[in-house]
Amino acid sequence: MPENSEHREHLESTSLLEPRRPVRPDVRSLDARALRGLAHPLRMRLLATLRQDGPATASRLAERLGESSGATSYHLRQLAAHGFVEDAPERGKGRERWWRAAHEGTLFDEMLVDDGDETTRAAADVFLRQIAATHAQEVDTWLATSHTWSPQWRTGSDFSDFTLRLTAAQTDELVHKLHDVIDGYRDLPAEEGTETVRLHTHALPRRTREVPGGDGGAGHRGAR
C-alpha cells in the first residue's frame, strides 16, 4: 500500500492568485520571513513530497530525492523552524523522526516580488523559478511514463495551450474562474481508480511584435 493511502489530505497546491474569499486554514500565506525560510530548491522539494506522499523520515526523503540524509535532515529542521513541517507523532515509533506537512498548500503574495528588501526579492525569484522547474519536471515525468498508464488515463490527461487577446482584468477573471472549477473537484469522495492528479495553470502575457505600419499588436493571433 502506498505511503499516502492514509494521508489523502496532503494534496499539494501552490497559488500565486490573490484570493477573493477567505484563505482556507489549511493554506499557508507567505510573508517575507516565511518566504525566506522556504525559498530553497531542496526545501521546496521536501515540502512538496510530504504534501503529496504523506509523512516520511529524513532518510526516506533522502532516498526518494537522491540527496544525503544529512542534507534532508538539516533542511527539514529549517522548514520546521518556519512552521512548514511538524512531527508526525502517529508515525514516530522507533529511533528516526517522522515529519509531515503542516499545511496542504501555499499562497504567494505577488507583492513580495517588489519588496523593498533585496533578500526578499531574491527569495521570491528562487521560489517562482523552483515552481516553474517543478512543473517542467512533472511534465517530463509524464512524457517518460505515460506509456505505463491505461488508455483511459492517457485520454483523460491534457497537454494544451491557448492564445487569447485579453486585458489584465479579463485574465485575472479567467484565472479565478479556472481556480473555482478546480476547487469544485477538491473534496470529491474517493472512488475505485482514484489517483493523485497534478494540474498546472499558467497565464502569461506576451508582448506582440509590432508590425511596421500596423497598430502595434492587433494583427497576429495564435490558433489556440
Side-chain angles (χ1 to χ4, degrees):
M1 181 179 293
E3 277 190 8
N4 65 333
S5 59
E6 62 182 295
H7 296 281
R8 185 173 174 271
E9 72 275 12
H10 289 293
L11 301 180
E12 184 202 19
S13 64
T14 302
S15 178
L16 278 63
L17 194 65
E18 181 179 351
R20 293 182 174 176
R21 54 181 178 267
V23 178
R24 302 196 322 268
D26 55 4
V27 173
R28 174 71 180 274
S29 296
L30 295 181
D31 57 19
R33 181 181 180 277
L35 173 65
R36 292 193 297 269
L38 177 60
H40 182 285
L42 181 52
R43 291 179 199 175
M44 293 179 66
R45 291 170 63 205
L46 288 167
L47 182 58
T49 303
L50 290 174
R51 284 176 174 172
Q52 292 181 26
D53 298 338
T57 64
S59 60
R60 287 172 180 244
L61 289 165
E63 181 178 359
R64 192 173 304 169
L65 299 179
E67 300 284 345
S68 71
S69 59
T72 57
S73 180
Y74 169 78
H75 287 292
L76 283 166
R77 292 196 302 272
Q78 294 301 308
L79 287 169
H82 288 85
F84 290 102
V85 302
E86 59 192 12
D87 286 315
E90 73 279 6
R91 302 293 292 271
K93 298 177 181 179
R95 298 176 57 187
E96 198 163 10
R97 189 176 187 179
W98 284 77
W99 297 93
R100 67 185 179 192
H103 309 88
E104 287 188 19
T106 303
L107 181 64
F108 178 82
D109 185 348
E110 188 69 27
M111 297 296 291
L112 293 168
V113 173
D114 299 316
D115 191 88
D117 179 68
E118 182 179 356
T119 304
T120 300
R121 294 197 304 273
D125 184 69
V126 171
F127 178 83
L128 295 174
R129 290 183 183 277
Q130 181 59 32
I131 290 175
T134 297
H135 289 183
Q137 180 60 56
E138 289 177 343
V139 170
D140 188 67
T141 298
W142 167 251
L143 292 175
T145 62
S146 61
H147 67 280
T148 67
W149 290 82
S150 69
Q152 290 84 357
W153 273 111
R154 292 198 298 272
T155 301
S157 67
D158 185 47
F159 210 84
S160 301
D161 62 86
F162 305 86
T163 301
L164 306 176
R165 297 281 293 174
L166 302 172
T167 65
Q170 289 167 337
T171 304
D172 183 65
E173 178 184 10
L174 172 59
V175 174
H176 273 92
K177 287 181 176 179
L178 290 173
H179 281 229
D180 286 342
V181 170
I182 293 169
D183 281 343
Y185 285 81
R186 187 176 295 278
D187 297 318
L188 295 179
E191 301 178 6
E192 183 178 356
T194 296
E195 299 282 359
T196 297
V197 175
R198 291 285 289 154
L199 299 171
H200 306 156
T201 62
H202 303 152
L204 311 172
R206 175 180 178 273
R207 298 196 186 281
T208 306
R209 181 181 301 174
E210 190 168 331
V211 179
D215 62 3
H220 177 71
R221 294 179 67 178
R224 294 191 71 179

